[in-house]
Each structure stands twice: as C-alpha cells, then as structure tokens.
Amino acid sequence: MINFNYSIPTEIFFGKGSISILGKQLKRYGAKVLVVYGGGSIKKNGIYDLAIKLIKESKIKFWELSGVEPNPKISSVRQGVKICRDNRIDCILAIGGGSVIDCSKAIAAGYYYGGDPWDIVTDPSKIKKALPVASILTLAATGSEMDIFAVITNEETKEKLGTKSSYMAPRFSILDPTYTFTVSKNQTAAGTADIMSHIMENYFNNTEGAYVQDRLAEALLKTCIKYGPIALEKPDDYDARANLMWTSSLAINGLLDYGKVKGWSVHGMEHELSAFYDITHGVGLAILTPYWMEYVLDNNTVDKFVEYGINIWSIDKNKDKFTIAHESIEKTREFFNSLGLPARLKEVGIDEENFEKMAEGATRHGKLGEFKPLSKQDVINIYKSAL
Amino acid sequence: MINFNYSIPTEIFFGKGSISILGKQLKRYGAKVLVVYGGGSIKKNGIYDLAIKLIKESKIKFWELSGVEPNPKISSVRQGVKICRDNRIDCILAIGGGSVIDCSKAIAAGYYYGGDPWDIVTDPSKIKKALPVASILTLAATGSEMDIFAVITNEETKEKLGTKSSYMAPRFSILDPTYTFTVSKNQTAAGTADIMSHIMENYFNNTEGAYVQDRLAEALLKTCIKYGPIALEKPDDYDARANLMWTSSLAINGLLDYGKVKGWSVHGMEHELSAFYDITHGVGLAILTPYWMEYVLDNNTVDKFVEYGINIWSIDKNKDKFTIAHESIEKTREFFNSLGLPARLKEVGIDEENFEKMAEGATRHGKLGEFKPLSKQDVINIYKSAL
C-alpha cells in the first residue's frame, strides 16, 4: 500500500425525499445560484419544478444554464462562466447526471481563472479556486457527484479531456434513488457499465498490499452485478436504484484508489471514442473493456484475473490460471451483453478511420495505464480487436 | 436501504513518514495545542520526541496531559478541560490509541460546556461545539481517529458510556502503520477483535436492501482475518499493519452503517465488563461475540448467519442453514482463539457476582441492539453462557 492523503469532504443527502434540505444547504454557500441542467427531462419528471420551488421558498436568487449536452462541451462552460461573472453568482447547483455536474465544476473553476476555461481542462494545476458546487443527481454512473473530476469536450479540436481539482468536489449532493426510476434501459445499462469500469480501473492495478482496497472494489462490483439487471427489469425497484446510486459515488470518490499507484487504461481509450463519435461513455467502456482485458492478459497480469474470476464470477479455483482468466473475461463480456449493451465498435457506427488519431490522443501524455502500460500501437490493436 | 446523511470530514494522512505534515496541519487550527497521551510508550518508541520536535519547529506552543489510561476516565477529561481553559488552548492533539483519542474528544467538547463533563457523556445533545481535535494513531482498533464517538468511564459510578457528536470528529489523523510495529501480540489481537466487532455490529442487522453496505463489511472482515494473524506473527509486516490500520478507520467511520437502522449489541454488553473489571475492550468483545451469536441465532436471524458463513468462512452453501450458521459461529470463535484471545469470562477473572448490575446497565435505555433486541434477562443469559 502506498501513502495517501484522504479527504472526501462532500456531504451526501441520500434517500427518497432528501431534496427537502436543498434550500437550507444552498444558503450556506450564498444567495445567488446558477442552476445548470440538460435537455429538459428534469422538467418532465418534476424534479426541476420541485427544486425551483424550494429555491424560491428559501429566497435564493437564481439563474439558469440549460441544454448542457452529454459529453459536455467547452462552449457550455464558457457560457456558464459568463453568466456567473455577469451576475456575481455565489454557487452552482447542477441538476442531472455526470455531464451536467462536470460542466458545473468546470464553470465553477473557470469563474476564477483569468483566461479561457479550456486551459484549466488541459492543465489542472491552473485551478486555484472554484465556486462551491452542489448537485442533485438524476443518473447513477459517473460518480461526479462525489469526486474531484470533470471531463470536458472541445468540439473544435475533438479533444475530450479529464481535469481534476479538490476545489471542484461538490460541497453536497442530493441522491434520491427515485429520481432514477425514469432512466431508460439503455442509460441504466450504460451507467452500470460506467460504474463497473471505474471500479475495474482501480482493481486491475499492480500496487502490492492494497488488499482492503481490492476487497472493497469487489464489494462494489458485486453490487453492480446484482442490481444492474434488476434495475433494467424493474426500473422502480428502490433498493436496486439505491444500491447502484450509492455505488456510483463510492466507486470513484477515492475509496478504491487511495493507497494505490494511479493510472487508468480503458477510460483514456474511450474518451477518444466519445470525443470523435459522441457515443455514450458507458457504452464505449462496455465495448472496450473485454478486449482490453484480453489484450493485457499475460504471465505478469494473470494472477489479478484469477483473483477477479474467483472472487467476482465464482469460477472454480482449481482450474488452470489462464482458463480462469479467460473465463472471467468472457463472463464480463456476457454480463455487459446481458444488459443489452453492444459488443463491438461497428455496432455504434465506429470504423477504422480515426483509430490512428484516437490512439495518438489516448497516449498524448505517454504510455496509457498502470496495469500494463499501453503504447499508441497497443491502443490501435485494442481498437481493432473491438471492431 | 434507509435514508442517510453522509459526512466524513476527517482528513487522513496515511503511510510511513506522514507525520511530516504535523506542523503545517496543526497551524490551520491554532497556535496553542494540548498534547494528550497515555502511559509513555510513545516516549520509548520515539514518536513523542518526533512530534514535539515538529511542533516546536512550527512555533506552536504546547501543553501536555499524560497518563491517560485505557478505558479513559472522566477525571482525566476534567483535568484536560482545566488545562485547556487555563491556557486558552486552540486545539488538541491526541497521540495514542482509542482511549487517548476518546479522552481528547471529550476534553474538546467539555471545554465549551458549562457544567461537569460527565453530563456530555450521559447526554450527547449537550455537545454544541468542540475544540478541533487531531490525532496521531498508534494502535489499530477503535477507529476513534475517524469517527464521532468517545467512550468514557466514570470510575465512581462504574459506568462506561459512549457519547457522540459530529463536532468531535477529528479534523485530521496521521496513520503511520510503522507506529504499530511495537504493539504487543495481545494488543494486536484485541485490536483486531475490536475492529471485527465494529464491522459485525453493523453487519448483523435487519435493514433490508443494504446490500452494498454488507459487501463492504465483508471486505473489511476478510482484511482482518487475513492480516490479524500476519501482524501477530510478523509485527513489522508493513502491509499487514497498513491494512489493519486503514480497516480500523473504515470499520466505524460511517461507511458501513450509513443506510442501516442503527443498534449495536455486543458493545453495550462489553462496556459493562470493562467498566466493572477494567479489562481490555477487544478481549471482552472477542469473548462475548460467539456466545451472543449462538444466543441470537433463530429462525428469523439464521439467513444472516448463512450469508456470513458462506461469504466470510467459505462454508459449503449446500449445507443445511443451521449447520452453516453454527459452523460460522464456531469459525469465529476459533479465529479469535487462534489470535490467542481468551474464550471465557472466567479466564479474565470475571464471575457471576455483577451480572445482574451489568445487565441492568447494558439495558439502561431499553432493549439492547437491533438485530435481535436483548432484554436484561437475555444479557444475563449471554454473560452466563460465556462464563
């Protein structure tokens, strides 16, 4: 286990009806709020009306930035920063999933940055301060509601990059599982894949002695495997939605990677896919993960797959190591497919055309990942195998 | 899963050498510190000298309260409050295990309370404010380094009571696993039993749909079961000490009980033992736990024991439910015994004399526990079976 500094300051108000604290909590951070949201589904399901009612009752003044898209764009961030500056906003309330929260975080940090907000995406060290961000979560997936990350897309340069800063950690997030009852099957499946990918990015890692972290990761994986299918089958199953929602936060808030050498693999490859093709992030992850696993499986990595196969998929531990490893990969693939997620890139309209450019992007900072570092050619090979 | 508000503000500086941040972090909370510690082992192993050196280098003025005993006494708390008031202390640094940290928390809260500090132990609602507390942990056991609890003994009334307040959560704690290399076998074993008991108090619980919490609990239990014996065998095994130390914090910081109906059982019974006989808390827990398990096992509770037996002790799931349950209890008992912990009350010099009074104390607020609520007579029966 390596040294770490643990700090997870986000407060979570979890459960049905927890939005009731909204006004009181927001007022801790100011009297002028920018409400950020997406395409309007929160207007259909009543969350928007309820939030605005509570804001008004608390005599908080508010402005709005709506229409924030999946894979949120730097142009939305710029727009948000302008509203905040023009109106001297005190804090930002994101209502939505990871895209809306990520966009809000970037606005919050961009507010205090002198130059163009894209700079703080490409260089997180430029973030020295941020407006307080809060969130009302409507989709269990990215974990942005409790982490320090934001992923923003530059539509002009076709770059999708992650930035991070402890200043951007939400001050509080409201997690009401009933708000995810109306999430579609596709989005539920993609969200589950996204959560699982966050867990696996930390789990498939070489740090020695990080035993408790690995067992915690398995706990979260098991939860996804149990409740992903139930949420698909019965969208208003409270416990399924609650377990997935809380797991989405715990998967990426630091719990699993404190004590480990950092270095993710599949996310870097997927960000290129969604930057170039604007596909759903979780779908891209579900496609790439099994192919990545097959590609990195070798004598050095096989033991981790054995651990995974036995502990997660209950594969007979007496089998040959590589047999367990291959079966565990197959189980992973089958699970994603059972959620209705596509298995190949061509199913989502991606061909070889941009492999070179995307692999170039995925390795822009050098080899990708810690588990088995990937060169540009490795990334191309994985894309090809996933075609 | 029930609703919850998650807030774990304590920052953790984890790993070998992490004490280096001491001065910088303390200065965030003031210039006058009360250093609280126990019987002097920190003077033998050099931690005291190092901490004082860092405090002096940071130009922080400090006072000392030493000699805080295991099962810390209200008289020590009173003494600490007086020092803090006489010298207008800004914050308290606990160096030690749970007893020292608990005592420091009670001093911190007692500082702002007008009356006698025992009042805030018997009635936590009287805690409205507390001095900032920080800790340097030297024993993996109680989890006090990252939680909101303090257990204090009133030597006159023979009461040992827990109090709690979010104001008492340490602002930061330094967890250096090497500081536990010199912990004796007995204390290592008792500490491991204490951690496991915290986990099991949350695990053996009837809340439905708290699936992720149960899997997380199992992750932590497995860590104790793996590394407890290694730490006994090889006291300077860094990964063993690191995993136990971090697990001690995660076991009780809220992670496992957020989302569950609260109500512990074995701790309440044990607090009476150590109040009356001043035995080591973890030893009392290790003795009582298997007898408590046997006592509460019935048709309503058997499924939880089956889950425990299969997931923790790998008992064949095809066996009869009660067979699995009984075997899981036997495995628990064997594990504690394998750590060298006693199995019966008489081994630690406890006889029937005070059973009535202790059972009265354990049920002073009504039936004890949530899993299977225990009457005074139940508690007596469990004590008797453990004789």
Side-chain angles (χ1 to χ4, degrees):
Chain A
M1 200 185 298
I2 65 164
N3 288 9
F4 61 88
N5 299 349
Y6 175 104
S7 172
I8 305 183
T10 303
E11 287 185 70
I12 299 291
F13 298 91
F14 192 99
K16 189 176 175 178
S18 51
I19 197 173
S20 61
I21 56 82
L22 181 65
K24 188 178 165 195
Q25 289 298 321
L26 275 181
K27 280 207 279 193
R28 293 171 61 189
Y29 303 104
K32 292 160 85 176
V33 175
L34 174 66
V35 180
V36 180
Y37 56 99
S41 67
I42 61 163
K43 291 200 171 169
K44 282 184 213 131
N45 58 24
I47 300 171
Y48 173 86
D49 286 342
L50 183 51
I52 296 299
K53 179 171 160 278
L54 292 166
I55 289 170
K56 285 182 177 167
E57 281 175 7
S58 301
K59 317 266 186 247
I60 295 167
K61 289 180 80 171
F62 68 98
W63 286 255
E64 298 188 37
L65 173 66
S66 65
V68 173
E69 51 291 300
N71 300 320
K73 301 191 174 40
I74 191 66
S75 51
S76 302
V77 176
R78 291 183 187 123
Q79 213 182 328
V81 169
K82 185 171 185 322
I83 300 174
C84 289
R85 288 190 184 151
D86 288 351
N87 302 286
R88 298 182 167 273
I89 293 293
D90 296 317
C91 85
I92 301 177
L93 173 66
I95 310 180
S99 298
V100 170
I101 304 172
D102 282 5
C103 183
S104 300
K105 287 173 172 175
I107 294 169
Y111 178 81
Y112 286 111
Y113 177 69
D116 181 67
W118 185 244
D119 298 347
I120 59 169
V121 178
T122 55
D123 181 1
S125 73
K126 292 201 157 81
I127 303 174
K128 306 288 185 197
K129 206 174 168 185
L131 286 172
V133 174
S135 82
I136 300 173
L137 187 64
T138 62
L139 180 69
T142 70
S144 188
E145 64 277 9
M146 204 180 183
D147 77 14
I148 62 173
F149 305 102
V151 181
I152 303 295
T153 295
N154 187 325
E155 56 270 51
E156 289 155 29
T157 60
K158 286 205 187 298
E159 286 175 289
K160 181 180 177 183
L161 298 177
T163 186
K164 65 173 179 174
S165 164
S166 58
Y167 297 109
M168 298 195 307
R171 303 301 174 95
F172 70 91
S173 288
I174 293 167
L175 273 59
D176 183 334
T178 67
Y179 293 176
T180 62
F181 283 1
T182 52
V183 173
S184 71
K185 286 201 178 205
N186 287 346
Q187 286 298 331
T188 300
T192 302
D194 193 12
I195 301 169
M196 290 176 71
S197 180
H198 295 153
I199 303 166
M200 290 191 278
E201 296 272 24
N202 292 313
Y203 185 75
F204 289 96
N205 181 288
N206 300 307
T207 311
E208 281 183 30
Y211 184 90
V212 65
Q213 289 86 346
D214 282 343
R215 301 294 82 72
L216 292 170
E218 287 166 0
L220 300 186
L221 276 178
K222 286 175 192 170
T223 305
C224 294
I225 292 166
K226 177 178 172 72
Y227 284 113
I230 297 175
L232 282 187
E233 187 67 32
K234 199 166 168 288
D236 61 350
D237 185 301
Y238 185 84
D239 283 330
R241 295 297 194 179
N243 275 278
L244 288 173
M245 197 171 217
W246 188 217
T247 299
S248 82
S249 304
L250 295 176
I252 196 173
N253 70 357
L255 184 67
L256 302 187
D257 71 2
Y258 282 121
K260 287 193 166 190
V261 178
K262 292 180 183 43
W264 289 16
S265 307
V266 184
H267 269 67
M269 290 189 284
E270 199 296 317
H271 283 169
E272 298 300 317
L273 297 187
S274 37
F276 274 75
Y277 296 94
D278 209 16
I279 65 168
T280 301
H281 178 50
V283 170
L285 294 168
I287 296 172
L288 290 178
T289 296
Y291 295 102
W292 168 77
M293 288 178 158
E294 275 166 4
Y295 193 82
V296 299
L297 172 61
D298 63 21
N299 273 316
N300 294 320
T301 62
V302 66
D303 288 343
K304 194 73 202 179
F305 284 98
V306 170
E307 196 179 328
Y308 171 68
I310 294 170
N311 295 343
I312 295 299
W313 299 109
S314 305
I315 298 170
D316 180 355
K317 64 179 175 197
N318 298 312
K319 288 187 178 175
D320 165 74
K321 285 207 296 191
F322 278 89
T323 305
I324 297 174
H326 284 296
E327 284 186 16
S328 76
I329 297 170
E330 204 41 46
K331 290 273 189 190
T332 308
R333 188 192 311 274
E334 281 169 14
F335 180 75
F336 287 142
N337 295 352
S338 77
L339 297 181
L341 292 163
R344 297 201 157 269
L345 293 177
K346 65 176 79 152
E347 293 177 50
V348 292
I350 297 177
D351 60 20
E352 288 195 59
E353 188 189 341
N354 294 302
F355 280 1
E356 182 86 18
K357 273 186 269 180
M358 295 193 298
E360 182 76 39
T363 54
R364 61 168 69 76
H365 301 302
K367 284 200 170 189
L368 182 67
E370 183 273 352
F371 187 55
K372 181 168 175 178
L374 304 169
S375 66
K376 181 183 161 190
Q377 188 57 50
D378 291 325
V379 174
I380 292 174
N381 294 345
I382 293 168
Y383 285 147
K384 278 189 181 167
S385 68
L387 247 188
Chain B
M1 199 185 300
I2 65 165
N3 286 10
F4 62 87
N5 298 349
Y6 175 105
S7 170
I8 304 182
T10 303
E11 287 184 68
I12 299 291
F13 298 91
F14 193 99
K16 189 177 175 178
S18 51
I19 197 173
S20 62
I21 57 81
L22 181 63
K24 188 179 164 194
Q25 289 296 321
L26 276 180
K27 280 206 281 192
R28 292 172 60 190
Y29 303 105
K32 293 160 82 177
V33 174
L34 175 65
V35 180
V36 180
Y37 56 99
S41 67
I42 60 163
K43 291 201 170 169
K44 283 184 211 128
N45 58 23
I47 300 172
Y48 173 85
D49 286 342
L50 182 51
I52 296 300
K53 180 172 159 279
L54 292 167
I55 289 171
K56 285 182 178 167
E57 281 175 6
S58 301
K59 316 267 186 247
I60 294 168
K61 290 180 80 174
F62 68 98
W63 285 257
E64 299 188 38
L65 173 66
S66 65
V68 173
E69 51 291 299
N71 300 320
K73 302 190 174 41
I74 191 67
S75 51
S76 302
V77 176
R78 291 184 186 121
Q79 213 182 328
V81 169
K82 186 172 183 322
I83 300 174
C84 289
R85 287 190 185 151
D86 289 351
N87 302 286
R88 297 181 169 274
I89 292 294
D90 297 318
C91 85
I92 302 177
L93 173 66
I95 311 181
S99 298
V100 170
I101 304 172
D102 283 5
C103 183
S104 301
K105 287 174 173 174
I107 295 169
Y111 178 82
Y112 285 110
Y113 177 68
D116 182 65
W118 186 245
D119 298 347
I120 58 169
V121 178
T122 56
D123 182 359
S125 73
K126 292 201 157 78
I127 303 173
K128 306 287 185 199
K129 203 174 169 185
L131 287 172
V133 174
S135 82
I136 300 173
L137 187 65
T138 62
L139 180 69
T142 71
S144 188
E145 67 275 9
M146 204 179 182
D147 76 13
I148 61 173
F149 305 103
V151 182
I152 304 295
T153 295
N154 186 326
E155 54 270 51
E156 291 155 26
T157 61
K158 286 203 186 300
E159 285 175 289
K160 181 180 177 183
L161 298 177
T163 186
K164 66 172 178 174
S165 165
S166 58
Y167 297 110
M168 298 196 304
R171 303 301 174 94
F172 70 91
S173 289
I174 292 167
L175 273 58
D176 183 335
T178 67
Y179 292 177
T180 62
F181 283 0
T182 54
V183 173
S184 71
K185 285 200 178 207
N186 287 347
Q187 287 297 333
T188 300
T192 303
D194 192 12
I195 301 168
M196 289 176 70
S197 180
H198 295 153
I199 302 165
M200 290 192 280
E201 295 272 24
N202 292 314
Y203 184 74
F204 289 97
N205 182 288
N206 300 308
T207 311
E208 280 182 32
Y211 183 90
V212 65
Q213 289 86 345
D214 282 343
R215 300 295 81 73
L216 293 169
E218 288 165 358
L220 300 186
L221 277 178
K222 286 175 193 170
T223 305
C224 295
I225 292 166
K226 177 178 172 74
Y227 285 113
I230 296 174
L232 283 186
E233 189 65 34
K234 197 165 170 288
D236 60 351
D237 186 301
Y238 185 85
D239 282 331
R241 295 297 194 177
N243 275 278
L244 288 173
M245 198 171 216
W246 188 216
T247 299
S248 82
S249 305
L250 295 176
I252 195 174
N253 70 357
L255 184 67
L256 302 187
D257 71 3
Y258 282 121
K260 286 192 166 190
V261 179
K262 292 181 182 41
W264 289 16
S265 308
V266 184
H267 269 67
M269 292 189 282
E270 199 295 319
H271 283 169
E272 298 300 316
L273 298 186
S274 39
F276 275 75
Y277 296 94
D278 209 15
I279 64 168
T280 301
H281 178 51
V283 170
L285 293 169
I287 295 172
L288 291 177
T289 296
Y291 296 102
W292 167 78
M293 288 177 159
E294 276 166 4
Y295 194 83
V296 300
L297 173 61
D298 64 19
N299 272 318
N300 294 322
T301 62
V302 65
D303 288 342
K304 194 74 201 179
F305 284 97
V306 170
E307 195 178 328
Y308 171 67
I310 294 170
N311 294 343
I312 294 300
W313 300 109
S314 305
I315 298 171
D316 180 355
K317 65 180 174 194
N318 298 312
K319 288 187 178 176
D320 164 76
K321 284 206 296 192
F322 278 89
T323 306
I324 296 174
H326 285 296
E327 284 186 15
S328 76
I329 296 171
E330 205 42 46
K331 290 273 189 190
T332 308
R333 188 192 311 275
E334 282 168 15
F335 179 75
F336 287 143
N337 295 351
S338 78
L339 297 180
L341 293 163
R344 296 199 157 271
L345 293 176
K346 64 176 76 151
E347 293 176 50
V348 293
I350 297 177
D351 61 20
E352 287 195 59
E353 188 189 342
N354 294 303
F355 280 1
E356 182 85 19
K357 272 185 271 180
M358 293 193 300
E360 182 76 38
T363 55
R364 62 169 67 77
H365 301 303
K367 285 202 170 188
L368 183 66
E370 184 272 354
F371 187 55
K372 182 169 173 177
L374 305 169
S375 67
K376 181 182 160 190
Q377 189 56 50
D378 291 325
V379 174
I380 292 175
N381 295 345
I382 294 168
Y383 285 148
K384 279 188 179 165
S385 68
L387 247 188

